[in-house]
Amino acid sequence: MADNNTNNPNNTNGHLTAEDYGLTTPSAADTPVPAFGGSDGGNDYGISLPIAPEGGIPAYPGDSNNDYGISLPIAPEGGIPAYPGNTVCTPPVCTLPVFPSCPSCGISQNNAQVRFLNASSNTFPVNISIDNTNYATNSRFGTISNYGQISDGFHTVTVRRASGLRAVLLQQTFPFSAGQRYTMVLVDTAAGGLNMIQVPSTGCNNMNYNTGCYRVANMSYSGSSYDVMLYSHDAVFRNVGFQEVTAYKQAMTGSYQFYVTNANTFTVIRELPIIVIGTVTGGGFTNEPLVSYQVDIAPGMKYTSYLIGNNWSDTGFRVLTVED
């Protein structure tokens, strides 16, 4: 869907390194150029950020007495859990809640709508603005903001640390089309920097009776690739690479249990053309499930499940499902 924006001229390439900004993202195997920029930690570049109330929706609350339906990895019998340290869920499969997208917010002919998902595993919060308007305050890993309106045209997205050294960590310019909705995803780069991925919610507008639409986006880490399977071991999406967003698939209304595994290289495995409860073609999981999650699909609605995080940092690997 989108690339790393490595060659985007709007990405700044200053003299400071990732250590200068306190970035804590682990480096992966690839070696693209980091997307964060800035040349002077003491210069705010003349950007003035208005103070706005915190408006992000926490996707992963830290209350140890309430799991809020957070999805935990499940391994088959005799297997090794993909994310050590998790407790046993009751019932056996834990699910992540679906957050509403702001259905009362209308999209005008002159404006688009935009929200921000923080999928970066850095431990510090950030503020995200478009031009001189703040859209996300104290955004942390796994949080997503409400939709906000933005005018048609090109706009510059700026990411800064929310406290301490508030130098610019990332600055990129994107086109926004009136009448469209966008989810902007802040992700890690292989070199330890940051990148912003624009995910439009286009497609799947003419749904059949009693159906919805569903897709998956891999925003976890560089080099990752996953298969998304049903409990029946049928493949829904295959080989979903880093920063890739699948096309929407039609899904019959109902509650679905999905499993995420490392991508299978066998070409004989085919994807289901439509998601239907009870579909069984036989077979089993070739790779052990990394995580399982549940999605309730309502008629006429569109959903995206974002695969975020990793298994070597404190964030863990998890799934966040939202309405589009």
Side-chain angles (χ1 to χ4, degrees):
M1 171 69 189
D3 56 36
N4 288 334
N5 289 303
T6 304
N7 297 319
N8 192 323
N10 295 289
N11 291 347
T12 58
N13 294 305
H15 300 291
L16 294 183
T17 65
E19 289 76 7
D20 294 312
Y21 292 109
L23 294 172
T24 59
T25 308
S27 297
D30 295 344
T31 58
V33 178
F36 68 96
S39 61
D40 186 355
N43 192 335
D44 63 2
Y45 300 87
I47 297 176
S48 174
L49 299 179
I51 298 176
E54 299 182 6
I57 302 175
Y60 180 48
D63 186 352
S64 59
N65 296 321
N66 191 336
D67 64 1
Y68 293 85
I70 291 171
S71 162
L72 296 178
I74 294 179
E77 294 184 5
I80 300 175
Y83 179 39
N86 284 323
T87 57
V88 177
C89 302
T90 305
V93 177
C94 295
T95 61
L96 193 76
V98 175
F99 295 104
S101 62
C102 187
S104 62
C105 300
I107 305 178
S108 71
Q109 294 181 349
N110 299 321
N111 295 308
Q113 288 190 335
V114 61
R115 63 184 177 184
F116 288 90
L117 166 61
N118 189 343
S120 170
S121 59
N122 284 296
T123 58
F124 53 81
V126 296
N127 294 334
I128 306 175
S129 62
I130 299 180
D131 300 332
N132 290 323
T133 302
N134 205 39
Y135 278 75
T137 303
N138 290 321
S139 175
R140 292 182 178 273
F141 170 80
T143 61
I144 187 168
S145 68
N146 289 318
Y147 278 116
Q149 289 198 359
I150 186 171
S151 62
D152 182 275
F154 285 84
H155 298 276
T156 300
V157 177
T158 302
V159 181
R160 297 173 179 268
R161 289 191 65 148
S163 60
L165 181 64
R166 299 194 179 188
V168 175
L169 301 176
L170 176 69
Q171 196 167 64
Q172 293 177 245
T173 300
F174 298 90
F176 295 89
S177 299
Q180 299 294 334
R181 280 181 170 175
Y182 300 90
T183 299
M184 310 296 293
V185 187
L186 183 66
V187 299
D188 300 324
T189 67
L194 297 174
N195 194 19
M196 186 72 71
I197 307 300
Q198 186 182 55
V199 182
S201 59
T202 55
C204 208
N205 295 320
N206 299 319
M207 306 180 197
N208 294 330
Y209 173 75
N210 206 32
T211 65
C213 288
Y214 179 68
R215 67 180 179 179
V216 169
N218 177 6
M219 300 294 165
S220 57
Y221 60 90
S222 178
S224 61
S225 182
Y226 304 106
D227 291 342
V228 179
M229 318 282 286
L230 286 173
Y231 179 77
S232 59
H233 306 150
D234 296 291
V236 181
F237 301 104
R238 294 191 62 243
N239 298 321
V240 185
F242 180 53
Q243 299 184 11
E244 179 182 350
V245 183
T246 70
Y248 283 108
K249 282 192 176 181
Q250 187 176 200
M252 298 300 296
T253 300
S255 181
Y256 294 85
Q257 193 71 37
F258 294 101
Y259 295 81
V260 179
T261 69
N262 287 318
N264 195 314
T265 58
F266 293 108
T267 57
V268 295
I269 300 177
R270 297 182 179 179
E271 294 183 5
L272 293 175
I274 183 174
I275 308 172
V276 180
I277 296 176
T279 301
V280 178
T281 60
F285 292 123
T286 304
N287 295 323
E288 293 183 358
L290 303 174
V291 68
S292 69
Y293 61 99
Q294 180 177 317
V295 177
D296 297 322
I297 296 179
M301 302 301 295
K302 299 191 294 186
Y303 304 88
T304 301
S305 288
Y306 290 91
L307 313 181
I308 60 177
N310 54 65
N311 288 330
W312 60 82
S313 68
D314 293 337
T315 62
F317 176 76
R318 65 191 78 254
V319 181
L320 171 63
T321 302
V322 293
E323 291 181 3
D324 294 327

